[in-house]
Amino acid sequence: SSGSAYIFRSVDGGATWSQAQKLTASDGDSDDIFGDSVSIYGSTALIGAPEDDDRGSGSGSAYIFRSIDGGATWSQAQKLTASDGGWNNHFGDSVSIYAGTALIGASGDFNSRGSAYIFRSLDGGATWSQAQKLTASDGDYYDYFGESVSIYGNTALIGAPEDDDRGGNSGSACIFRSTNKGATWFQAQKLTASDGYSGDHFGRSVSIYGSTALIGAPEDDDRGSSSGSAYIFRSVDGGATWSQAQKLTA
C-alpha cells in the first residue's frame, strides 16, 4: 500500500491510449496510499498520499510531478505537506490543480471538521508554496470538509459529506472565490441539496468547470436504498452566486 500512479498518453488525438510511465514517490513507504487522489493540468500532475507520516501518523502529503518534454516523461519536482499538519489529518485525500494553483483537502483535520489548503506557484510550476488554509465558516466536528475538492480559475468547490444541515450526514459543499488572481480566497456560498436528507452524503464528490458545478450524493435513496444522485448547480453572474439547476439520477 505504498501506492503508485500511471501516466497514459494519446498521440492520435485521443483515439487510442497507451501507458507511458509509472510514478512512485521518491520517499514512499508502506501504507502511504500514494495515488489515493490525482489531478493533472498541462505538464503538471498532483498526487495525494493521505497516509504519509511526515508530520505524524496519517498526516498526509501530496507530490508535484512535472514534464518538460511535452508529457513524454515525468519526474517528481516537489513534496507538499501542510504547515500545521498533524496526526490523522489525511492531507492529500483529495487534490485538484488548475494552472498555478493547487487545492489539497485534509478531511481529518481538527477532529475531522476538515480543511483544505491552497498552494501556489509563481514561477510556472517549478516551485510551490502554501498560500492559505480554508475552513468552512460553520464547520463542526466530523463534517469531513475537504474530502472532495475541485478548482477552476478563481473558484474552488469543497465538499463536506458528513455535514448535518439537512439531517445527519446529509452533506454540503462550499464555494470559495478569489477576486485577486488567486492571492487570497474567501467563502462565498454554502450549497446543499434542495431535497437533502439524512445519510445522503451530498458532497462526497465534486467537480467544477466554468459556471457549472457537479456534486455527488452517493447515498441518496430516490431509486432505492443508496442508489445515489448528483446535482447540477449553476452561476449566471460570473460565480458570485450559485443555485441548484437539476438533479440527476441514472
Side-chain angles (χ1 to χ4, degrees):
S1 297
S2 54
S4 62
Y6 294 78
I7 296 287
F8 281 74
R9 296 186 71 216
S10 174
V11 294
D12 58 6
T16 58
W17 295 76
S18 58
Q19 184 178 318
Q21 193 173 340
K22 180 177 181 175
L23 309 179
T24 58
S26 60
D27 63 344
D29 202 358
S30 296
D31 301 316
D32 280 354
I33 321 292
F34 173 92
D36 191 48
S37 58
V38 298
S39 184
I40 193 167
Y41 182 90
S43 59
T44 306
L46 179 60
I47 304 171
E51 300 294 331
D52 190 14
D53 298 332
D54 280 17
R55 293 183 176 272
S57 178
S59 54
S61 64
Y63 294 78
I64 295 286
F65 281 75
R66 297 186 71 214
S67 173
I68 56 174
D69 57 8
T73 58
W74 297 75
S75 58
Q76 183 180 318
Q78 193 172 342
K79 181 177 183 176
L80 310 179
T81 58
S83 60
D84 62 345
W87 286 62
N88 293 322
N89 282 2
H90 303 300
F91 174 93
D93 61 358
S94 59
V95 300
S96 184
I97 190 168
Y98 181 88
T101 306
L103 178 61
I104 303 172
S107 65
D109 189 18
F110 194 16
N111 291 322
S112 298
R113 288 180 187 235
S115 61
Y117 294 79
I118 296 285
F119 282 74
R120 297 183 73 211
S121 174
L122 302 177
D123 57 8
T127 57
W128 296 75
S129 58
Q130 183 179 317
Q132 193 173 342
K133 180 177 181 176
L134 309 179
T135 57
S137 58
D138 64 344
D140 202 356
Y141 293 146
Y142 306 112
D143 280 354
Y144 292 95
F145 174 91
E147 186 168 317
S148 59
V149 299
S150 184
I151 191 168
Y152 182 87
N154 293 318
T155 307
L157 178 61
I158 304 172
E162 310 273 319
D163 189 13
D164 298 331
D165 279 18
R166 294 183 176 273
N169 299 334
S170 54
S172 65
C174 291
I175 295 284
F176 282 76
R177 298 186 67 216
S178 174
T179 55
N180 55 4
K181 298 182 179 180
T184 58
W185 296 74
F186 62 92
Q187 184 176 323
Q189 193 172 341
K190 181 176 183 177
L191 309 179
T192 58
S194 60
D195 63 344
Y197 195 68
S198 296
D200 281 355
H201 298 289
F202 173 93
R204 175 70 58 77
S205 57
V206 300
S207 185
I208 192 167
Y209 180 86
S211 59
T212 306
L214 177 62
I215 303 171
E219 303 292 325
D220 189 14
D221 297 333
D222 278 18
R223 293 185 177 273
S225 179
S226 300
S227 55
S229 62
Y231 294 78
I232 296 286
F233 282 74
R234 296 188 67 218
S235 174
V236 294
D237 57 8
T241 58
W242 296 75
S243 58
Q244 184 178 316
Q246 195 174 342
K247 181 177 183 176
L248 311 178
T249 58

